[in-house]
Amino acid sequence: MVIPAGTRNHFARDLGLDLGDPARALEALRDGEPVRVDLGVVDSHVFVNNVSFGIYAEALLEPEYREAKARTLAAIAPQYLKGQQWVEASVEAPGERIEHPQVVLVSNNAYHLSTPRHLGRRFTLDSGLLGAIVFKRLAGPPPPDLFVRLRRDLRRHATARSTETGIVAWAAAQVRLDGPAGRLPAGIDGEAVELRLPATCDIRPGALRLLLPRRRPGVPQSR
């Protein structure tokens, strides 16, 4: 069972559970619906949401992150904004190899990107495919509003070419990162780790069995 009593509740949200009333998840005990969903795997780690490389992963590795998230991010982000830090790896994308991207996000099933209202939602957790989003490190100095631009480009991705947005997104059963660094900082479902390179993300279709309430008001009626 999943009870949405955490901070962001991404997994519970994408299962359609009522985030405003966690107790409603207990209805699964009475007449729950058994379902199977996929799990993501990287190295020896399992993830239900995502594994991230880049600014967020670097911040997680700072000792004071849990106590001062905003201050830690503020101290680290400027180095990325100035183009002085990036992911020390390359990513195999369809038809190309992306060297030293700004951010890499690999998710257990793909995130929805085409409509602002549902941006960042996963409409399915049993597709048997990972979702991958890579922000390329574009030539020239980064703009001062890099994060605003990345969010705007993410929303535009469905209707624009990757050369216009600097974003490449795809779905696959496996996503691989490689490079000479040996180890790479990452965030797995919000927890800091260091992964050995090459790092291979895989999907385990239907590996997790859940009992969910039959009435789940968070399931979108339309996309």
Side-chain angles (χ1 to χ4, degrees):
M1 288 181 56
V2 176
I3 299 176
T7 304
R8 299 298 298 275
N9 294 305
H10 292 295
F11 188 53
R13 177 198 65 185
D14 294 339
L15 289 171
L17 297 178
D18 188 345
L19 304 187
D21 185 4
R24 290 191 62 178
L26 298 176
E27 294 177 7
L29 293 173
R30 182 173 62 249
D31 61 345
E33 176 185 7
V35 301
R36 284 188 176 273
V37 300
D38 305 335
L39 287 177
V41 181
V42 58
D43 200 355
S44 59
H45 305 275
V46 171
F47 57 94
V48 296
N49 291 319
N50 59 60
V51 52
S52 62
F53 307 86
I55 297 173
Y56 185 55
E58 293 282 355
L60 284 170
L61 288 176
E62 295 297 317
E64 67 274 19
Y65 175 72
R66 291 299 181 189
E67 288 71 34
K69 294 184 182 181
R71 185 172 67 247
T72 302
L73 280 171
I76 291 174
Q79 302 307 312
Y80 283 90
L81 296 177
K82 294 174 185 176
Q84 296 175 359
Q85 290 188 19
W86 47 84
V87 179
E88 288 284 359
S90 61
V91 186
E92 294 291 344
E96 65 177 316
R97 184 181 180 91
I98 303 172
E99 302 285 349
H100 300 121
Q102 198 79 44
V103 175
V104 178
L105 181 68
V106 180
S107 56
N108 173 22
N109 285 252
Y111 288 113
H112 181 78
L113 302 178
S114 60
T115 55
R117 184 162 69 99
H118 295 308
L119 185 69
R121 288 291 305 265
R122 290 173 293 175
F123 288 108
T124 181
L125 288 167
D126 60 359
S127 70
L129 295 173
L130 298 167
I133 303 173
V134 176
F135 294 81
K136 292 184 176 180
R137 183 168 172 251
L138 302 179
D145 60 344
L146 176 62
F147 287 109
V148 175
R149 182 182 66 81
L150 290 180
R151 185 170 181 81
R152 180 198 66 207
D153 288 350
L154 190 60
R155 289 175 171 172
R156 291 179 55 220
H157 174 75
T159 56
R161 297 188 302 271
S162 63
T163 53
E164 297 173 343
T165 62
I167 297 172
V168 180
W170 71 98
Q174 186 178 92
V175 178
R176 179 182 172 91
L177 290 85
D178 202 355
R183 301 186 72 85
L184 192 66
I188 297 181
D189 285 343
E191 298 298 328
V193 300
E194 281 197 345
L195 298 175
R196 295 188 300 271
L197 289 177
T200 302
C201 303
D202 292 292
I203 193 85
R204 292 182 180 174
L208 180 61
R209 184 173 62 183
L210 299 174
L211 191 62
L212 299 176
R214 296 184 182 276
R215 294 181 298 167
R216 301 194 296 279
V219 176
Q221 297 302 309
S222 64
R223 304 182 188 183

